[in-house]
Amino acid sequence: MMNARCYPRIGCYPRIAGAALAFPLLWCVAPAMAADGADPAAIRVVGHPDPEGLLPDQTAPKAVSAISADFITKQAPTLNAFQLINLLPGANVASSDPYGLSVSSSLTLRGLGQDEIGVLMEGAPQNDIGYYYAYPSQFADAENVRQVTLSQGAVDIDSPVVGTAGGLLSLTLDDPRARRGGLIDLSLGSYNEARAFVRFDTGRIGKTGLKAFVSYSYNRADNWRGSGFDTRHHIDAKLLNEWGDGNRASLAVSFNAANTSSYPSPTLADWLANGRGFNFDSHYSDGNTNYWRLYRSPFRNLYFSAPVHLQLNDRLTFDSTAYLQFGYGNSPYGTQLTTTGNTLGTELLDQPIALPGAQDGLATVLGNFTGQQFRGGDVARLTLQAGAHRLTAGLWFDVGTDHVIQSYTSIHADGTPIDPWGHQSKAIRTADGRLLAYENERTITATRGFFVADSIAVTPRLGLDVGFKGVAVLHNGQNYLPGPQAGVRHDSFAALPRAALHYRVDDRQQLFANVTTNFRSPDEYTLYNTYYGGALTGVGAPTLRNEYAVSQELGYRYIGPVLSLSLTAFHYHFRNRQLATVINAGGALINSTLNAGSQTSYGLDGEIDYRPAKGLSVYLSGEVLHTRIDSDLPVNGDFLPTTGNHAVSSPTAQFGVGGTYDDGRLFGSGALKYVGRQFSTFMNDESIPGYATLDLSIGVHLAGLVDAQRTDLRLNAINVTNPHVLAGVEAVSTNAQDTVGRNGTLISGSAPAYYIGSGRAFVVTIARAF
């Protein structure tokens, strides 16, 4: 996976009347033909009379929101998973480009950052093993996603993720169809956007019971501001076998290859001076390190997930999800090197280095920030139904390697990098042949976990869940730079008890409550020494304490034929709150972590879905959030007076208004989201104001007008009002203004950096099934 500010990381078809159809259109199937083997002659194209794209029915004793294919298929097919959930309560999404191609984006839930949110796809973790981020531009194509589920707080006990106090985002892929067929999507849009998607379903393969689909998409768009363009090649595939009484096994594969141009993130002063004109340079000149081609980030990722469900007998089931992930890429930047005076770790290099194109001993080069990752694991559980008890026990293991190198590569006379991938074979070397690197470290992360749970039907209306999860995380690494540090090790274990209550008031009303615990070990970057100019500038901290969080939720649901609603009150308390930020390390902007001490958060989430007529759904969501920093922040031997301040990136209020319409011929949707003021420093001496975005779509089902083939034509308008705003905080700061600490030290201020909200875009898409 790759953030434009960090290196790559290993990181939809509606179901109608009981049938899962193979095309992202809105269909109605006669009840007698609802099975997969239905006679196609009996299918009548009349549209979906009652879309349920938002707020599907839920029964879990925790806050859960979701979007289904009925909503997804009305949105622009370029949008990534973060953009799709923007309307849901608590979700604060900052997007740097309208098409979801750039990885310069962020997601917070209830004020908790992206590194606190677990992400699963087909049950396999998508978060970066070193920094805990997930990168939505690498996920499956929207046409292949059946549902996106968002748990804003409590995470399922068997989820193979850690550090998830902020919740869980889970993507479920569509199943292959029983009948052979396929789909083609073609899109054109603003900023020379062009996208093609094709999917083929095999149908049932002979008498094996197997069925599969494979899809390929290509997407290209110019940067909406500044120079540059993005490209994305993507393949999704799924093989499925179902047999007996509910047994199923599948293999999902997802491959992503992209090359994206970065969007620079301004400080508040940069924004006030330049607005949307704060961009990389369009043309290269000698000595220019701000040329846009020096900031293009190529990466490749490959994911495998193999979920299995076995019904061993009428009371015992076995579930397992094995997964593998591979990734490599580069997040480069422009910098300059001299032929003499260089260092490697703490070693001063006496001999000059060869720098092609150097003038007077100085050359502009490509600074590489490459990452190569492997990750594999499995989570397995047994579930036994014993009278009023549903007992669960399981194990999880995960191992990953992460090799990070910050090296340098020469560029051509026109500013084009010789090797944009940053391969070592083409990197600049020292006089004795060693790799010249600012950073060179390899980390092995091993995670082992176990869990037990009991779900008890106390009465026909009252359920009690209790559980315990133990997780051990080991970081074992090697720093290859000369200096006082060679190996690093950080070993931690956390005990994570939980409990939940669920009460069914009647057939339409539910009450629920839960208490959960969570922990997060420090990210791998904090473990290593950093060097500059031959001196030790940062000491690795393998003794950093884990973050530990206790959270509670109390909720109410109503599920009716016309109106559904959900309200959830929540409370969090953190010890050693670890807050993600972006720091400058030798010119590369990379993810890191601050220990923010203790924090308390509480608030209220709500969502309502109103269906006043067939084919029409109106959705409202909102959140009120209060956060309080409970301790002063240690800085340079003193303490900033931060106690009582508001937490960063935590808007006090958010609300959304959305809706879908479908009368069988015309369809459309709308999504309005408001996000309130956000602080960007612990001292609360800098913030960005609230803002609103609006997305609209309109389309027509063409089946029956042109021919009998299933065909849709739609227009999506993204960010219609085109507000010129800062959409979120990329890099937080302790204090923006010089501040006197508790012990009298003057603590210098540093400017936070922000995401510039994306511009307006229009996309036309035609989708045709075959």
Side-chain angles (χ1 to χ4, degrees):
M1 301 178 177
M2 171 177 286
N3 188 305
R5 293 297 183 233
C6 60
Y7 67 87
R9 293 297 178 184
I10 317 285
C12 66
Y13 303 140
R15 297 184 301 156
I16 311 301
L21 299 182
F23 311 99
L25 308 173
L26 300 174
W27 303 92
C28 184
V29 181
M33 296 290 112
D36 257 335
D39 180 356
I43 297 178
R44 183 166 57 95
V45 182
V46 297
H48 193 319
D50 189 17
E52 297 177 358
L54 293 164
L55 197 55
D57 295 349
Q58 305 289 348
T59 59
K62 61 179 182 177
V64 184
S65 301
I67 56 173
S68 71
D70 294 313
F71 178 79
I72 294 172
T73 55
K74 294 179 176 65
Q75 311 312 305
T78 62
L79 299 187
N80 62 48
F82 285 3
Q83 292 171 308
L84 288 172
I85 65 168
N86 188 42
L87 266 186
L88 301 184
N92 173 20
V93 180
S95 297
S96 293
D97 82 297
Y99 295 128
L101 290 168
S102 171
V103 288
S104 295
S105 63
S106 71
L107 167 67
T108 65
L109 289 175
R110 297 176 177 173
L112 301 178
Q114 198 169 323
D115 61 322
E116 299 266 13
I117 302 167
V119 179
L120 302 178
M121 187 168 70
E122 287 292 282
Q126 305 296 297
N127 297 76
D128 180 313
I129 61 172
Y131 299 84
Y132 308 118
Y133 274 66
Y135 304 97
S137 61
Q138 300 171 3
F139 300 166
D141 282 322
E143 292 90 340
N144 296 324
V145 177
R146 186 173 73 225
Q147 188 175 71
V148 182
T149 302
L150 182 67
S151 300
Q152 288 92 340
V155 175
D156 293 336
I157 197 169
D158 60 346
S159 297
V161 289
V162 294
T164 54
L168 181 70
L169 177 68
S170 183
L171 286 76
T172 303
L173 298 187
D174 185 39
D175 283 345
R177 302 278 64 82
R179 286 189 172 273
R180 184 178 301 172
L183 169 72
I184 295 176
D185 270 10
L186 299 175
S187 302
L188 294 173
S190 307
Y191 314 111
N192 293 316
E193 158 69 17
R195 181 180 185 269
F197 170 91
V198 60
R199 166 170 161 164
F200 174 70
D201 283 83
T202 64
R204 295 196 186 278
I205 303 173
K207 298 181 180 180
T208 64
L210 295 170
K211 50 187 178 179
F213 78 75
V214 61
S215 71
Y216 167 78
S217 70
Y218 172 75
N219 198 0
R220 185 205 179 279
D222 291 341
N223 279 22
W224 72 272
R225 64 179 177 92
S227 299
F229 62 93
D230 300 332
T231 60
R232 177 180 185 264
H233 298 265
H234 192 88
I235 297 172
D236 291 323
K238 187 174 181 178
L239 177 68
L240 172 66
N241 192 16
E242 297 174 298
W243 70 96
D245 184 17
N247 300 299
R248 62 180 279 144
S250 63
L251 174 64
V253 182
S254 190
F255 171 76
N256 194 76
N259 197 350
T260 60
S261 296
S262 299
Y263 291 98
S265 298
T267 64
L268 187 58
D270 293 329
W271 171 251
L272 294 175
N274 303 286
R276 290 179 170 180
F278 184 75
N279 298 307
F280 293 117
D281 294 338
S282 300
H283 303 285
Y284 179 75
S285 58
D286 288 343
N288 184 3
T289 62
N290 205 43
Y291 181 45
W292 70 272
R293 289 189 182 275
L294 301 178
Y295 294 84
R296 282 182 60 74
S297 303
F299 57 92
R300 296 191 187 100
N301 302 89
L302 180 62
Y303 305 83
F304 296 91
S305 177
V308 175
H309 174 77
L310 300 177
Q311 188 76 38
L312 302 180
N313 58 43
D314 59 352
R315 297 191 304 145
L316 184 64
T317 62
F318 172 77
D319 292 271
S320 171
T321 300
Y323 52 88
L324 287 173
Q325 302 169 7
F326 305 88
Y328 177 83
N330 188 17
S331 185
Y333 56 97
T335 189
Q336 290 187 321
L337 288 179
T338 57
T339 56
T340 59
N342 293 291
T343 59
L344 189 63
T346 57
E347 179 184 339
L348 179 64
L349 300 178
D350 297 328
Q351 299 298 316
I353 61 174
L355 286 179
Q359 296 182 8
D360 298 325
L362 181 69
T364 299
V365 298
L366 185 74
N368 303 301
F369 195 90
T370 61
Q372 183 167 8
Q373 281 197 351
F374 161 81
R375 185 179 188 182
D378 183 87
V379 57
R381 74 175 189 270
L382 284 169
T383 303
L384 174 67
Q385 187 68 48
H389 297 262
R390 188 173 71 249
L391 303 169
T392 300
L395 297 172
W396 171 39
F397 76 88
D398 183 293
V399 63
T401 61
D402 184 16
H403 193 181
V404 178
I405 301 176
Q406 194 171 166
S407 61
Y408 307 94
T409 303
S410 297
I411 63 175
H412 295 291
D414 63 356
T416 305
I418 289 176
D419 176 26
W421 286 91
H423 293 118
Q424 294 186 42
S425 60
K426 297 182 180 180
I428 294 170
R429 299 269 168 173
T430 64
D432 58 3
R434 290 177 293 169
L435 181 70
L436 183 66
Y438 178 84
E439 182 179 0
N440 189 350
E441 61 221 18
R442 184 175 183 267
T443 310
I444 299 175
T445 301
T447 305
R448 306 171 304 278
F450 68 91
F451 52 90
V452 291
D454 187 6
S455 182
I456 308 166
V458 180
T459 72
R461 293 183 181 273
L462 178 64
L464 170 65
D465 295 348
V466 293
F468 179 87
K469 188 173 187 176
V471 180
V473 178
L474 170 65
H475 295 299
N476 199 356
Q478 184 75 25
N479 191 337
Y480 295 107
L481 295 182
Q485 184 186 56
V488 300
R489 181 184 176 93
H490 185 275
D491 199 353
S492 59
F493 175 82
L496 305 172
R498 59 172 55 207
L501 281 171
H502 181 269
Y503 181 72
R504 183 170 59 86
V505 180
D506 53 35
D507 290 343
R508 301 198 182 282
Q509 300 181 84
Q510 308 169 30
L511 296 172
F512 64 86
N514 65 65
V515 179
T516 57
T517 53
N518 234 300
F519 95 110
R520 180 187 186 279
S521 61
D523 70 63
E524 64 183 43
Y525 182 80
T526 61
L527 306 178
Y528 290 97
N529 287 353
T530 56
Y531 309 101
Y532 186 78
L536 177 66
T537 57
V539 178
T543 59
L544 278 176
R545 301 176 66 181
N546 294 328
E547 173 186 288
Y548 197 85
V550 180
S551 62
Q552 303 89 28
E553 291 182 323
L554 177 64
Y556 168 79
R557 290 193 190 99
Y558 175 83
I559 302 172
V562 174
L563 178 72
S564 298
L565 66 88
S566 176
L567 295 173
T568 304
F570 56 87
H571 176 271
Y572 297 85
H573 180 71
F574 293 88
R575 299 197 308 266
N576 300 307
R577 169 87 164 91
Q578 294 188 17
L579 189 73
T581 187
V582 176
I583 65 171
N584 189 311
L589 298 175
I590 64 173
N591 295 319
S592 189
T593 303
L594 296 173
N595 190 324
S598 297
Q599 178 181 317
T600 301
S601 303
Y602 59 86
L604 180 68
D605 285 339
E607 54 185 336
I608 300 172
D609 187 25
Y610 176 51
R611 302 172 294 276
K614 287 185 178 181
L616 178 62
S617 175
V618 179
Y619 175 82
L620 304 174
S621 70
E623 178 179 90
V624 177
L625 174 66
H626 176 83
T627 61
R628 184 183 187 274
I629 299 174
D630 295 331
S631 56
D632 290 342
L633 188 68
V635 177
N636 297 331
D638 204 337
F639 292 87
L640 279 172
T642 55
T643 299
N645 287 354
H646 199 83
V648 298
S649 300
S650 302
T652 302
Q654 299 182 67
F655 68 82
V657 180
T660 59
Y661 172 78
D662 192 320
D663 65 8
R665 182 62 67 193
L666 297 177
F667 65 90
S669 69
L672 171 69
K673 183 65 180 281
Y674 170 79
V675 178
R677 179 189 184 190
Q678 301 177 65
F679 288 105
S680 54
T681 69
F682 289 88
M683 282 302 299
N684 290 175
D685 53 3
E686 190 167 303
S687 64
I688 57 175
Y691 68 95
T693 59
L694 175 64
D695 296 341
L696 298 172
S697 72
I698 187 171
V700 58
H701 302 300
L702 298 176
L705 294 178
V706 179
D707 56 25
Q709 293 297 316
R710 303 162 182 175
T711 308
D712 270 3
L713 177 66
R714 71 178 181 271
L715 170 66
N716 291 95
I718 304 168
N719 205 16
V720 176
T721 57
N722 198 30
H724 291 226
V725 297
L726 295 174
V729 184
E730 184 198 50
V732 302
S733 169
T734 56
N735 51 303
Q737 308 299 322
D738 293 349
T739 304
V740 177
R742 294 288 192 191
N743 297 329
T745 304
L746 182 65
I747 300 173
S748 300
S750 59
Y754 303 94
Y755 298 106
I756 295 178
S758 67
R760 177 171 51 215
F762 298 92
V763 185
V764 176
T765 301
I766 185 165
R768 183 171 175 85
F770 60 89

